[in-house]
Amino acid sequence: MIQRNRKSAAGLAVSVVALMGGTACASGPDRPAPVNYVLPAASVVTDASRAIPDRWPHAASPAAMSDPVTEAFVTALMSRMTIEEKVGQTIQADISAITPEDLLTYPLGSILAGGNSSPGGNERASAQDWVKLAQDFRAAVASRPGARIPLIYGIDAVHGHNNVVGATIFPHNIGLGAARDPDLIRRIGEATALEVAVTGADWTFGPTLAVPQDDRWGRAYEGYSENPEIAQSYAGPMTLGLQGRLPVEGHIAPGHIAGSAKHFLADGGTSGGKDQGDFAGSEQTLIETHLSGYTQAIDAGVLSIMASFSSWNGVKHSGNETILTEVLRGPLGFDGFVVSDWNAHGQLPGCSNESCALAFNAGIDMFMAPDSWKPLYENTLAQVRSGEIPMARLDEAVRRILRAKVKGGVFETDRPYEGRIELLGSPDHRALAREAVRESLVLLKNSGSVLPIRAGARVLVAGAADDIGQASGGWTITWQGTGNSRADFPNGESIWEGIRAAVDNGGGAATLSPDGTFTQKPDVAIVVFGETPYAEFQGDVDTLDFRPQEPLAILRRLQAAGIPTVSVFLSGRPLWTNPEINASDAFVAAWLPGSEGGGLADVLIGDAGGRPRHDFSGRLSFSWPKDARGEPLNVGQPGYDPQFAYGYGLSYAHPGVVGSLSEDSGVGEAGSSVDRYFVDGRFIAPWSLMLRDAGGEFRLGQEQQGRSPRGAVTVTTSDGRGQESARVLAFDVPTGQTAQALIAAAPVDLTRQSNGEMAIAFRYRVDAAPRGKTLVTLGAGSVDVTSIFAAAPVGEWRTIKIRLSCLRDAGALVAAVEQPWGLQSDGALTVAVEDIRLASNEGDTVCPAH
């Protein structure tokens, strides 16, 4: 063990025990002896955020993680490493911001492919392109001078190898939690690992062990359950599925990859479900609820843990040494390395994305610095040389990283599965995903035993049944999961395709009609609808009201026509859907099932005699709300009163009766929006359009036309994607003046979104080219789009996405944004705009000149 002496901010010496190897591993010739070092007097921990190690349960990384042969190899390697090479091991860059050639100069230890990063910036790159990318980076490392330590290459394979076209897309964790099948989880881990290994990556950022307590959180679907018992039963099997068992004096078997349990700690417990927010609670709740399955993952040998963006009682975990060091290296006995989340270190006091000794000294071993890696490397190197980061602390982190690389097989040149593209979306993996879909389905209602549907019936299928992208949700091909088409899932089967095959095989007839219309009355209708894809930021909501009206209208039309109707609801969380449930004879919570829609048909469609081929077995792992207000609703809390309780789920063998449900949502018709400003021809509350010129300001409500006080800018309607869905802004500005059209409301905080590289996006059509300077503004920040608008063909619709970080760097105060979008001109210009919102950076953003 290493005995640390840390000085607190008050200058008092504090004894901190941190484990370098096993929890009870003595020093010897192949392991460094215990050392003492003093960390600088810098701590952000408060009494309310100080963990007491004696209160925490015990776990331990397996002895095989730090066996004598591995430790001897690491010790010998470190003795040959320069300080530059050691610092390089602690830095991880994203493939969008680094090239293989950069590694000839900078001896980095890791790369990642973030949610919107891909070979050549092509999100739909071929599997062969992914393999070549991995090989090119490895070749660069092999040709550089010095120790030539191989990279560990990480990727978010969170429901299958979800970044790669053609891979198997498994149900998201919220569905797997409903399955309550640890062995299924292990097998999914094995399949995911193999498909990742095919494309050359070594490491996935999973399993996710969040315990979401507020379903308004945009990442709720990444958690298995609101109850930690499910994550506790899954963490070990998923870790073993991904990695296999760690062997003594060896590395994990080919076809397995390193795992990373995340996000440590309480990412699912933030107030209001705010992503990257604060868990305001006791240490006891932190342990009983949010420690989740971390002890089981550590016991199973997980090689890394990712620290959470979030905070505990106001202190970010990335800078909390009592969590990352005193607890994690003490009673939890973790011997792997800790990686930070995407530029999370930059959120600590006194830090930036380019410099943060505080995070490193607190216990972050590897910085995830996607685009800030170069200055962070230089600054970290300088901090080690100056003593701000002690050399012993650097050696500790490097040892942990190298240990994980050895056990993860990263040093091995033989990669027998790499390039075997036929294993992506293989028949065995597809069958496993189909099984997972069957097990994840939860039957909420089945009046009159409309299910199962006789295979020989005439079946109408409506809604989004043929959209695998919607069924897969966020973190699919792209970060937010948007913009995907059927072509992006060549090895998949849509819900519609699965139903059609089952009905055809039974001698029936199935018809796809997205709007629910028909010419020949069907025996039964299946309507597939739900949430459209999202991830963090864009997935955070104010209420749990399912607002789209078209699905309800389809259901009511079918109900009025006397057609038995089955609803298949796609969602990343439970939502208030009482009107839809009332308008349905049967209602199935299908969550986000992924690329094997045939799994639904296996359960919904019976045999020719109407007998079940498979029964429902899923049970709610999240409580279903009785109203739409969205306050935390979790089993065991005082006053617990859900519509459908945790553990609920009907089946053919065990039916139940659901009466008419209240259609009082408990919320108003409109809520506020942080990321949607002008959509479908309407300004989303609380946003409105304001016109400004030298004579003052004029604010429009939902009025479709108006003019600034002196007429320098006028607004009228125009058709875009829909009838009158756009606004035409006509500038006629006197010489020496400017005019603006601004979307405005009370301030909102877009700090998280700018850190996450979100962009302000809008469609535009230039009707008269600019005759002066044209700026897009966000608060006080502005960028010059004159050349972009001037180059646009007149009358042609185009889309532009400008990174929030670009506008932040140009002067926007992103922590208090009152005007998230504006267009300013000092000359004549006529342009139509529509669909103004925040969008994810999918390699298609720009940063015009400030």
Side-chain angles (χ1 to χ4, degrees):
M1 293 190 295
I2 299 175
Q3 182 71 33
R4 295 181 172 187
N5 291 317
R6 173 182 282 112
K7 291 183 179 179
S8 70
L12 299 177
V14 181
S15 177
V16 180
V17 176
L19 305 183
M20 174 177 276
T23 55
C25 188
S27 62
D30 298 323
R31 292 182 62 83
V35 297
N36 291 301
Y37 58 89
V38 176
L39 290 176
S43 176
V44 293
V45 175
T46 64
D47 288 344
S49 61
R50 186 179 305 281
I52 308 301
D54 289 346
R55 298 174 179 172
W56 292 68
H58 285 258
S61 294
M65 186 182 290
S66 53
D67 65 86
V69 171
T70 296
E71 295 304 307
F73 175 85
V74 170
T75 298
L77 181 56
M78 289 180 65
S79 71
R80 303 195 304 271
M81 293 172 67
T82 65
I83 185 174
E84 291 82 3
E85 289 170 330
K86 289 181 178 180
V87 169
Q89 288 299 300
T90 72
I91 307 292
Q92 181 185 63
D94 188 79
I95 60 171
S96 66
I98 191 172
T99 65
E101 290 72 27
D102 287 326
L103 295 175
L104 300 178
T105 303
Y106 296 91
L108 268 56
S110 181
I111 57 172
L112 82 151
N116 280 331
S117 300
S118 52
N122 177 12
E123 292 289 356
R124 285 149 186 86
S126 69
Q128 291 88 346
D129 289 337
W130 283 94
V131 174
K132 184 177 185 302
L133 179 142
Q135 292 175 344
D136 287 348
F137 275 101
R138 286 204 301 271
V141 173
S143 62
R144 71 187 179 196
R148 298 179 183 174
I149 299 168
L151 298 164
I152 185 166
Y153 166 22
I155 197 165
D156 283 285
V158 295
H159 63 135
H161 196 12
N162 43 267
N163 296 273
V164 178
V165 171
T168 308
I169 307 298
F170 291 95
H172 267 296
N173 285 352
I174 191 170
L176 298 180
R180 287 170 168 76
D181 186 344
D183 184 65
L184 174 70
I185 298 305
R186 177 189 59 79
R187 289 182 286 138
I188 289 174
E190 290 178 345
T192 299
L194 184 60
E195 295 201 14
V196 171
V198 164
T199 59
D202 315 290
W203 179 25
T204 180
F205 304 127
T208 301
L209 300 178
V211 183
Q213 299 293 282
D214 192 318
D215 298 343
R216 293 172 292 186
W217 185 36
R219 304 189 77 163
Y221 62 80
E222 296 187 52
Y224 294 116
S225 173
E226 70 190 36
N227 191 323
E229 66 180 6
I230 297 181
Q232 288 164 354
S233 71
Y234 280 4
M238 178 56 84
T239 299
L240 292 173
L242 292 169
Q243 298 185 173
R245 292 195 180 277
L246 296 183
V248 177
E249 299 184 3
H251 56 81
I252 61 177
H256 287 281
I257 59 173
S260 187
K262 69 179 187 183
H263 306 86
F264 193 75
L265 197 58
D267 51 336
T270 60
S271 299
K274 182 179 180 182
D275 192 65
Q276 302 182 19
D278 184 52
F279 166 63
S282 68
E283 185 175 11
Q284 181 179 355
T285 303
L286 200 64
I287 295 168
E288 292 179 352
T289 300
H290 298 290
L291 184 56
S292 181
Y294 285 97
T295 58
Q296 290 81 3
I298 291 168
D299 287 342
V302 72
L303 289 170
S304 69
I305 286 175
M306 184 182 293
S308 177
F309 266 116
S310 60
S311 57
W312 172 35
N313 290 332
V315 175
K316 289 287 185 179
H317 290 303
S318 294
N320 190 331
E321 70 272 13
T322 70
I323 292 290
L324 296 183
T325 296
E326 296 178 29
V327 167
L328 191 56
R329 305 298 180 174
L332 296 187
F334 178 56
D335 275 355
F337 70 93
V338 174
V339 61
S340 65
D341 209 334
W342 187 279
N343 277 334
H345 55 277
Q347 298 183 2
L348 298 182
C351 289
S352 67
N353 291 353
E354 293 79 24
S355 177
C356 194
L358 173 62
F360 196 79
N361 286 335
I364 296 294
D365 299 311
M366 180 183 287
F367 289 107
M368 184 183 289
D371 55 352
S372 57
W373 61 270
K374 191 176 293 185
L376 184 64
Y377 167 80
E378 300 288 1
N379 287 323
T380 304
L381 183 60
Q383 288 156 357
V384 172
R385 286 173 170 157
S386 73
E388 185 177 0
I389 295 175
M391 181 61 73
R393 168 67 191 113
L394 175 64
D395 285 344
E396 176 183 66
V398 172
R399 176 171 291 275
R400 292 166 179 167
I401 293 166
L402 295 180
R403 177 187 295 147
K405 286 186 174 184
V406 173
K407 302 310 291 189
V410 176
F411 283 88
E412 303 303 311
T413 57
D414 184 25
R415 293 173 176 256
Y417 293 102
E418 185 171 288
R420 292 186 57 185
I421 308 302
E422 73 277 6
L423 295 176
L424 290 176
S426 69
D428 286 348
H429 292 176
R430 292 188 60 190
L432 177 60
R434 188 167 182 148
E435 176 187 352
V437 173
R438 289 196 299 266
E439 291 194 26
S440 69
L441 305 175
V442 179
L443 181 61
L444 299 184
K445 178 182 179 180
N446 190 21
S447 298
S449 299
V450 64
L451 292 175
I453 297 168
R454 179 175 54 85
R458 184 181 299 112
V459 181
L460 175 72
V461 182
D466 203 29
D467 190 341
I468 298 180
Q470 183 167 345
S472 298
W475 290 104
T476 304
I477 309 297
T478 64
W479 171 36
Q480 295 287 330
T482 55
N484 294 325
S485 69
R486 181 65 183 84
D488 296 318
F489 306 94
N491 297 324
E493 181 178 48
S494 72
I495 296 171
W496 152 246
E497 291 164 346
I499 292 171
R500 179 180 59 186
V503 172
D504 286 352
N505 290 340
T511 301
L512 178 65
S513 173
D515 64 2
T517 58
F518 55 88
T519 55
Q520 185 176 13
K521 185 176 181 180
D523 298 320
V524 65
I526 299 173
V527 183
V528 181
F529 62 97
E531 293 186 294
T532 52
Y534 57 82
E536 59 263 46
F537 305 143
Q538 290 185 289
D540 290 357
V541 294
D542 293 325
T543 75
L544 295 181
D545 191 4
F546 178 68
R547 293 189 178 276
Q549 295 300 307
E550 185 179 3
L552 182 59
I554 293 173
L555 290 169
R556 286 176 172 167
R557 285 201 307 268
L558 294 168
Q559 189 180 51
I563 299 169
T565 305
V566 178
S567 284
V568 174
F569 188 59
L570 305 174
S571 71
R573 51 191 149 211
L575 290 173
W576 185 77
T577 50
N578 283 10
E580 289 80 9
I581 294 173
N582 285 340
S584 308
D585 294 283
F587 194 95
V588 178
W591 313 113
L592 298 170
S595 60
E596 291 305 318
L600 280 106
D602 291 343
V603 183
L604 300 183
I605 311 298
D607 62 15
R611 294 177 295 271
R613 295 184 297 143
H614 295 272
D615 202 350
F616 287 91
S617 60
R619 292 177 290 138
L620 291 179
S621 59
F622 287 79
S623 303
W624 201 273
K626 186 172 284 186
D627 60 45
R629 290 177 297 172
E631 287 92 349
L633 176 68
N634 302 298
V635 63
Q637 73 182 39
Y640 179 67
D641 184 26
Q643 187 70 71
F644 301 107
Y646 174 85
Y648 174 90
L650 304 177
S651 67
Y652 299 139
H654 299 93
V657 176
V658 176
S660 180
L661 306 178
S662 168
E663 297 194 7
D664 180 3
S665 70
V667 300
E669 286 299 315
S672 62
S673 175
V674 171
D675 60 355
R676 300 166 71 243
Y677 311 119
F678 178 62
V679 179
D680 297 330
R682 292 183 61 82
F683 291 95
I684 308 301
W687 306 105
S688 62
L689 185 65
M690 180 169 64
L691 305 178
R692 176 187 292 165
D693 63 15
E697 298 175 348
F698 174 71
R699 188 183 294 266
L700 290 80
Q702 290 296 340
E703 292 91 346
Q704 296 183 337
Q705 57 187 5
R707 62 196 296 272
S708 59
R710 293 187 178 174
V713 57
T714 60
V715 59
T716 56
T717 62
S718 178
D719 292 348
R721 285 196 170 112
Q723 183 176 0
E724 297 188 345
S725 64
R727 295 289 185 271
V728 177
L729 302 172
F731 292 84
D732 185 10
V733 187
T735 302
Q737 298 181 17
T738 62
Q740 290 178 294
L742 302 162
I743 293 177
V748 296
D749 185 353
L750 297 182
T751 304
R752 298 176 300 133
Q753 288 84 344
S754 62
N755 181 61
E757 278 299 89
M758 299 290 285
I760 183 74
F762 61 97
R763 277 171 38 93
Y764 68 96
R765 183 191 69 213
V766 174
D767 293 338
R771 295 185 179 179
K773 179 181 288 188
T774 302
L775 306 177
V776 169
T777 66
L778 186 147
S782 64
V783 294
D784 190 338
V785 295
T786 308
S787 61
I788 295 174
F789 278 19
V794 172
E796 178 180 301
W797 281 102
R798 293 191 164 195
T799 298
I800 186 171
K801 295 165 74 172
I802 301 171
R803 292 192 297 277
L804 289 180
S805 59
C806 175
L807 287 155
R808 177 196 64 204
D809 295 344
L813 180 62
V814 294
V817 176
E818 296 179 338
Q819 298 161 0
W821 180 90
L823 194 64
Q824 175 179 311
S825 180
D826 62 6
L829 165 69
T830 304
V831 60
V833 295
E834 71 171 353
D835 200 18
I836 304 172
R837 65 174 77 208
L838 295 187
S840 65
N841 180 356
E842 298 178 1
D844 54 355
T845 62
V846 296
C847 185
H850 298 173

